[in-house]
Every structure is written in C-alpha cells, then in structure tokens.
Amino acid sequence: MQTDSWIPLFPESASSFSWQVDALYFYLIGISVAFMIPIVAAIFWFVVRYREREKFATPDEIHGSIVLETVWSIIPFVISMTIFLGGAVVYYTQYRMPEDAMQVYVVGKQWMWKIQHETGQREINELHVPVNTKVKLTMTTEDVLHDFSIPAFRTKADVVPGRYTYLWFEATKPGTYHLFCAEYCGLNHSGMIGSVVVMEQNDFESWLQGNASNLTPVEQGRDLFENKLGCASCHAGGSGQRGAVLENIYGKEVKFVGGSSTIVDDEYLRNSILNPSSQVVEGYQPIMPTFKGQVTEEQLISLVAYIKSLSGVDASATAPSAPAAPAPAPANNMGSNSNQGGR
Amino acid sequence: MREPKDSYLTNGYSLKSWLLTKDHKRIALMYLISISVFFFMGGLYAAAIRLELLTPGSDLLQSATYNKAFTQHGILMIFFFLIPSIPATLGNFLLPLMIGAKDLALPRINLLSLYLYWIGGLLTLYALMQGGVDTGWTFYTPYSTTFSNSYVMAVGLGIFINGFSSILTGLNFIVTIHTMRAPGMTWFRLPLFVWAHYATSLVMILGTPVIAITVLLLAIERVVKVGIFDPAIGGDPILFQHLFWFYSHPAVYIMILPGMGVISEVISSFSRKKIFGYEFIAFSSIAIAVFGFLVWGHHMFVSGQSIYAGLVFSFLTMVVAVPSAIKVFNWTATMYKGSISYDTPMLYAIGFLGLFLVGGLTGLFLGSVGLTVHLTDTYFVVAHFHYVMVGGQVIAYLAGIHYWWPKMTGKMYSEFWGKVSAMLVFVGFNLTFFPQFILGYQGMPRRYASYPAEFQVLNIFSTAGASVLGVGLLMPVVYLTHSIFAGKPAGDNPWMLPGLEWRTQSPPPTLNFDEQPVVTWEAYEFGEESGLDLEEARRAAGRPSVV
C-alpha cells in the first residue's frame, strides 16, 4: 500500500488521472528550481562580491531599469499562465463527472463514513470498488462538513450538509489505499479514516455476492415511496393524482410558478422533498408538506434513486433498465403534466 | 559619548504616564510587549502540537486537547500577533518619524486602538482559560454554530473587538500619511516601509469590517437561531466560507505587506544602495492590496463551488503572484554593486528572501487548481503558509526589530548573539517546515492528532527542527532585554543612514524632532546629497571593516 523506503517521499499513484496531478507537480517543482537557482546564486554572488570594503561607502547609484522590470513582470506572468492552464485541465478531469460511472452513495457523519452500493451493500469506513471502472460518489453529511479524500487517487471533495457533492475516480491498481476525512469535523476528526479497497473485477463480483440479501437503494426507495412515507398516495395515482407525475421527469426542464425553470437533477429532487413549496411547478398547488426531519440522508438517497429509476435512469453503467416506466406512455412527460394541471 | 538627553522614555516614569500617553512611541512599546506575550503563548501551543506529532498515536494530548491546541495556536498567532505585529509596533513607532511628523494624526485614537486590542485579547485569554475553543481558527459552520460546545462566542467577541483596533490603526496611518508629511517629503520620497503600510491600511479598513459582520452573523445564528449558515435551519454553510475568506485572504496581505516594507528598508540600508525600481515596489504593494481582494475563492476549490468559479479564482491567484515576484527581483537587484555589510538585520533579511521565495513558489502549487485538489487540507498547506507567515512576516519582524532597536532604545545589542539567532532561526525553520511539504504531497491531512505510522520519520524531523527554531526565537528576548540595561549606547545614527528617523536622537524626544525637518533629498540617498557627514563617520569608525 505504501512505499517501503525509510523516508517515503512519494505516495502511491493509483487512479486514471493521478499521473496528470503528478506531472503538474513535477512541472511546478521544475519551475521552482529554475527560479530558485538563479536568484539564490545571484544573492550569494552579490553578498560575497559586493561585501562592505569601506565603512559607510557610497556605491554608485542605480535607479532601476524599465526594460528589466518589464521582462521580469512578463516572464513570471507567462509562466504562471501555463501553470494556470495545466491546473485547469487537470481540475476539469477531476471534477467533471462522467455519465457512465458506477454509482456509490456516501453519507458522512461524526466520525464515520457510511457507504452504500447500488446493489444494496453497506459498508462503514471502507469502500470496495472494482479496478478499471469509473466510480461516481454522491455524497452528503448528516451533521458538519467533512471531506472525502483519497491521496492515492489525487482527489478529494468536501461533503456539505444540506446538499450533494460529487467525486469520481477510476482506480488503476488493485490494493488498499488511505481514505481520510480532510475537513476538520470536531473531536475525533483524525479517527475518521478508513480505506478504499480496489479489487479485480471478479473479486469484486464475489464480494458483492457475499452480501446479496440487502435491498438496493431503488428497492428501498420504492418501499419508502409506497409504504413508509406514503408518497404514492399523491404521486402514483394515474389520472386523478394531485401531485406531479414523476415518470420520465429526470433530466427534463420544469417551469416554476413565477417564470424560472430548472433541469430536474438529484439536487432538485432532494430539495423538492425537503422544501416542496420553495419551487412549485407551474400548474400545481403548493400543497405538498415538507419531509424535512422525517427522512434521513440515507433515505433521501434511496428516494432519489427510486425516482430516477422511474425515468429509466438507473445510473449504473452496466445495467440500464427502466423498471417502473411503462413503455407505451408518451403522454407522461412534462408537457402533458402542465396540460393536466391546467385543466 | 555625551549624556543621554531627555527622550520619550524619560518623559514620566509613573504607570499613569504610560497608560494615558498619547505618544505613538510609548504606545508602540506597549504593543511590542503585548504581542510578545501573545507570541510566546501561541508558541507554547505550537510546542505542544509538535511534541504530540512526534508519535503516530494520540498519546501526549487527547484529541479534544489537541484540537484546542491547534485552534488556539492559530487564533493567538494570527489575530493577536501576526496582524498587529509590524504595523502596531514598528509602524506605530516609525511612521511619524519617517515622514517627519510629531506624532500620528489621531493620537487619542491610537491609544484607543491599543485598549481595544487589550480588551479583545483579555477576553480571548479569559475564554481560553475557561475551557478554550476547538473549531479551528477558521470557525467553519455548521460545526462552530451548532456542534461545538466550546467558548466560540467569547472568542468571537474577542476577535470582533480586536478587529476595531486594526481598523482604527489603518485609518490613523492613512490620515497621517496624507496630512502629516514634512515639507519636501513628497509621495515618491516616502520610504517603501511607508508605502507598504499605506497598502496594509487600505486592506485593514476595507477588509476587517467584513470579518466583524461575519462574526456578528455567527452570533445571531448561535444565539437567536436565525438560519444563516446552518442548513438545518435554512442557512448555507458555504456562505460563511465566502464571507470568512473575503476578509481572511486579504488579511494574509495585512500580515505580509508590512514585512515586505521592512525588507525593502533593510536591504537598501545594508547594501548602501538606492532601492532598485522604487516605483515598481511601491505600486506592487498597492497591486497586491487590490488583487488580494479578488482571490478568496482559492481557499474553497474543493468546497463544492462551481468548476468555473474555481477556474476564475485560480486565474486571479496567478495574477496576484506577479507583484510579489517583482519585489523579489528588485530586492535582489538592489544588492548588485552595493556595499553589503553582514549586520544582524541584513542576515535576517537575506533569510527572508530565501524563505519567502519558497513560500511564494509553493503558493503557485496551491493556486494551480488541479494540483490543489490533492494538496489542500494537507500538510503542504501548513508548510506553505508557515513559509509565508513565519519565514516571511516573523523573520521580517525580527529584521525590523534588530534594525530599529538602537533607535527605539538608544542601546546596541550583541551582534554576535544576533547573528547566532538569525542562523538558528533559518536552519530550525527549514528543518521544521520543509519536511511538511513532502508529508503534504503524500496526503497527510492537517489537524490530525494521530496519523498513519508511515508519516512518522518526517514528523520527527519537523519536531526536531521546531526545537531549534524555538531556541532561535527565544534568544532575542534574552539579549535584547539585556541590552536595555547593559548595552552600549548606540548613537543617533549608528549605520549612517539617510532616513529621517536616523536624523533625530536615539531614543527620540517626545515630539520626535527638535525642529521641523525639511526634506531636500530623494529616498535612499546614501551619498553626499543626503547631507550626512560621512567623512567624519568613517574617521570615527576607524579602520574599514572587511569581513
């Protein structure tokens, strides 16, 4: 897992973009050395060569030089722009989420990481992932800020209460890597550590089989939707229902009372459950009660996963399916929703 | 040597003559003693932190204690040492002297700012004695508002009050520089120390109110439960980070700009050379002050702000690096063909150049957004800001204290021990903080009381370096204090320098100058045009000193 040298100088590099971060790091070390050597050499040279030979001497004045000032303003500026651009490219790779990634849900809590796979496996402070597979983490926290940091993958992201943040990686080497909470979160912050276990595809499959009795997030979400929280009484009643039809809304645009609009995504769904009256869709009455305080973050993740599945978004790259959306139902889109409400 | 004349030090010996003084020099000395006490206390916490990190386990300090130790180290060092360090002591003492004024423009306000500093400081110390605070010096919400049971409000109030001390000092400096310059002291004859303080004062009066507002909002949320930052009651925790860094990033420039001013003075004086590119150094201070307000988001690259915001802040961070680079080049060029002496202030200043160079270059690592995703919240950041704040500001502060000590006290300290201390600080500092860059790239997170065992070797280096650094920093306390009682008289102008502060007696009289000075020379004029009797001084100095 870690280098065996007496003084480890360099961390394991184990994700698809970690080499880019390393390359940027070495580029910057190169730049730094290239700046330091001439400046430090000049300082030493001047200090020795022009040391005081007569007390209170008055060496000839040199006022400065516009040419030099211009040169040594422009060169650092140009170099800093290359650093900026390099950083921007890497950042874009790190933080632009891939469409075809395996989904994992993460909930931070003082002082543990609760992780759930799409197949229903739950783990605490351990994340098992297959090698050479894109993995996207959807993360939130029950209490304070945390930060999901995997140094060997050269990435991290803060986990923020009240919203979702995302992280993705593609591990390239099987092994066990450090998982740290990198945002200070109180008493046992330094105990909020764990490991990311990268497994060969086959090993991962059999690891998954080992816990097959759990419900998947979609199944849990369906249970909450239909039974525990009673969402179905307004949202799954066919023509007579009072609430919005949820089939096939994911990724569509919705228009709000007042004129603004948004694209339906995880954040929007989450917010619609917690603060339904904050964004009333045109054609509906603001009658839905808030579910704030009645659902946990983990239940929210399951609910959002279920609602997404109604739009055929299984989010899993391997098994796209549309369990609940009846195929011959072209009227079930946002346009018809508005018409329905208008009647 | 002639008998010491009346000076600001002999103008009354009672406690009242100090506590009710309006003399900027006495106020500066009281600041000097106060910030030294806070520095010492902050240093004790640092020692505790380094001792705890000697081993991977959390054995010397429990997590709860460790969390308080690093929080209180940060709060004391930043708000009660670094921010007031150079402006409140050297700035206060020297600004009127350098521009040929009798005092600051608003002497009563100056005394008020000292009292606000004391009240804020005592309140904070009271809170620390009562049980302390464990939120980190950044007070991130919702931990600080909802979850921490420590003395957040008391410390917040202390910082709030202390902020006004900073605002009043900045206001006073700006008014003084505009209105109190001696005849002939034009803007471009001002020492660069004064330009640096002008830029610092701008940041103080424009930035500090924002932290005051932020602390107030924090208090409102904590006490009245109005949802501002806590998502559980409708607030936004990221809003706090925006407000906090909108002040606290510019505050970094409050901490480093005055140090840059000191370095400009020392390098020029001990090279006996006019500073290279005066206007460029002056305007780069102003540029840093302005651009410093536009880069706060680089503290939040991984906090969930949008990719595009991250890119804009990364770009602006690169831009703000350029004026600092300009300063380093100009300082180096100033030494070219000079007459360089190796007095203690100059040794500190040369040390500053090396350390600030490392601090500035590693700032580029952290400004490069793709790299900082990996580096942020690790020891790389800890090392970077200590290189700037300690390697930069603290070393510049020590250079300045040694440079103007003869003027402030009229006494000369031991050159030998001064040089030893400068060397120890440089070596100890690098040994402490350089290994932390490597630890950071390996991924060791900040603010961890315990850590995986493979990080131990470098932590041992760091702790060993910290003990050398500690000795180096304690030495000046001893030999400078000793010099007050047993030092040789320094004379009015021991280094034959042209600045106005060297043209009055040491220590200066209460009204600074016996008669109103009139400036007829340019800044940093070391030759005959300065009107100094160099021939006489050379004769008095005896044989030329060739090192």
Side-chain angles (χ1 to χ4, degrees), chain A residues 5-304:
Chain A
S5 61
W6 184 60
I7 304 177
L9 294 178
F10 204 69
E12 192 86 22
S13 179
S15 77
S16 59
F17 50 65
S18 58
W19 70 271
Q20 297 181 6
V21 179
D22 292 341
L24 198 55
Y25 181 60
F26 287 119
Y27 175 63
L28 271 149
I29 289 178
I31 299 263
S32 304
V33 171
F35 262 90
M36 295 259 337
I37 287 177
I39 294 176
V40 171
I43 291 171
F44 270 103
W45 171 247
F46 296 162
V47 164
V48 174
R49 170 72 181 75
Y50 303 115
R51 67 186 180 275
E52 179 180 68
R53 284 158 205 281
E54 183 196 12
K55 207 88 182 128
F56 312 131
T58 50
D60 290 338
E61 283 186 4
I62 302 173
H63 286 269
S65 152
I66 296 288
V67 178
L68 268 179
E69 299 285 352
T70 314
V71 168
W72 67 42
S73 304
I74 289 176
I75 290 179
F77 180 75
V78 170
I79 291 177
S80 74
M81 283 303 107
T82 67
I83 297 170
F84 161 69
L85 286 174
V89 169
V90 178
Y91 186 56
Y92 206 66
T93 318
Q94 286 164 321
Y95 268 24
R96 203 176 55 112
M97 297 302 139
E99 300 291 326
D100 54 345
M102 178 185 132
Q103 294 279 338
V104 176
Y105 303 100
V106 175
V107 176
K109 175 182 188 319
Q110 285 177 328
W111 293 276
M112 62 170 77
W113 294 107
K114 298 196 283 188
I115 290 161
Q116 188 174 12
H117 292 265
E118 276 196 308
T119 47
Q121 266 77 9
R122 289 167 183 273
E123 340 182 36
I124 287 186
N125 291 343
E126 276 205 338
L127 168 60
H128 287 76
V129 291
V131 74
N132 294 329
T133 306
K134 288 177 186 157
V135 179
K136 179 184 170 190
L137 310 180
T138 300
M139 311 188 292
T140 189
T141 156
E142 288 179 12
D143 36 50
V144 300
L145 297 168
H146 301 283
D147 186 291
F148 201 89
S149 163
I150 314 163
F153 297 168
R154 309 284 188 274
T155 193
K156 65 163 71 75
D158 278 10
V159 179
V160 184
R163 65 171 73 171
Y164 291 135
T165 57
Y166 307 93
L167 194 64
W168 87 275
F169 56 80
E170 180 181 338
T172 53
K173 262 191 246 176
T176 305
Y177 306 102
H178 283 303
L179 160 62
F180 293 125
C181 173
E183 184 65 68
Y184 175 67
C185 61
L187 180 65
N188 198 20
H189 171 54
S190 56
M192 192 167 165
I193 60 178
S195 43
V196 177
V197 182
V198 178
M199 311 170 93
E200 293 290 358
Q201 203 77 39
N202 292 341
D203 298 344
F204 183 70
E205 292 301 331
S206 54
W207 178 81
L208 280 184
Q209 298 303 321
N211 296 299
S213 61
N214 284 324
L215 295 175
T216 68
V218 172
E219 286 159 357
Q220 288 174 23
R222 190 206 303 276
D223 183 40
L224 290 166
F225 190 87
E226 288 173 355
N227 306 318
K228 299 218 171 81
L229 296 173
C231 314
S233 62
C234 292
H235 285 287
S239 58
Q241 72 179 31
R242 291 181 291 169
V245 175
L246 300 176
E247 281 80 11
N248 289 330
I249 63 163
Y250 193 77
K252 300 274 163 46
E253 189 179 21
V254 286
K255 289 201 168 54
F256 300 132
V257 173
S260 60
S261 67
T262 191
I263 303 289
V264 175
D265 60 5
D266 293 18
E267 193 77 46
Y268 168 78
L269 291 176
R270 178 182 192 283
N271 194 37
S272 296
I273 298 166
L274 295 178
N275 301 302
S277 55
S278 72
Q279 37 189 9
V280 178
V281 174
E282 263 185 3
Y284 290 95
Q285 295 299 315
I287 52 171
M288 176 167 158
T290 174
F291 281 79
K292 190 180 277 185
Q294 301 181 44
V295 286
T296 66
E297 288 293 348
E298 286 165 23
Q299 288 176 328
L300 271 170
I301 283 173
S302 301
L303 270 175
V304 170

Side-chain angles (χ1 to χ4, degrees), chain B residues 328-340:
Chain B
V328 172
F329 295 134
N330 280 303
W331 289 326
T332 308
T334 300
M335 292 193 275
Y336 177 64
K337 291 197 172 173
S339 171
I340 300 169

Side-chain angles (χ1 to χ4, degrees), chain B residues 491-514:
Chain B
D492 293 347
N493 194 353
W495 294 296
M496 291 310 283
L497 299 170
L500 271 181
E501 78 269 30
W502 299 106
R503 295 175 190 246
T504 183
Q505 68 176 33
S506 302
T510 298
L511 294 177
N512 291 345
F513 298 95
D514 294 331

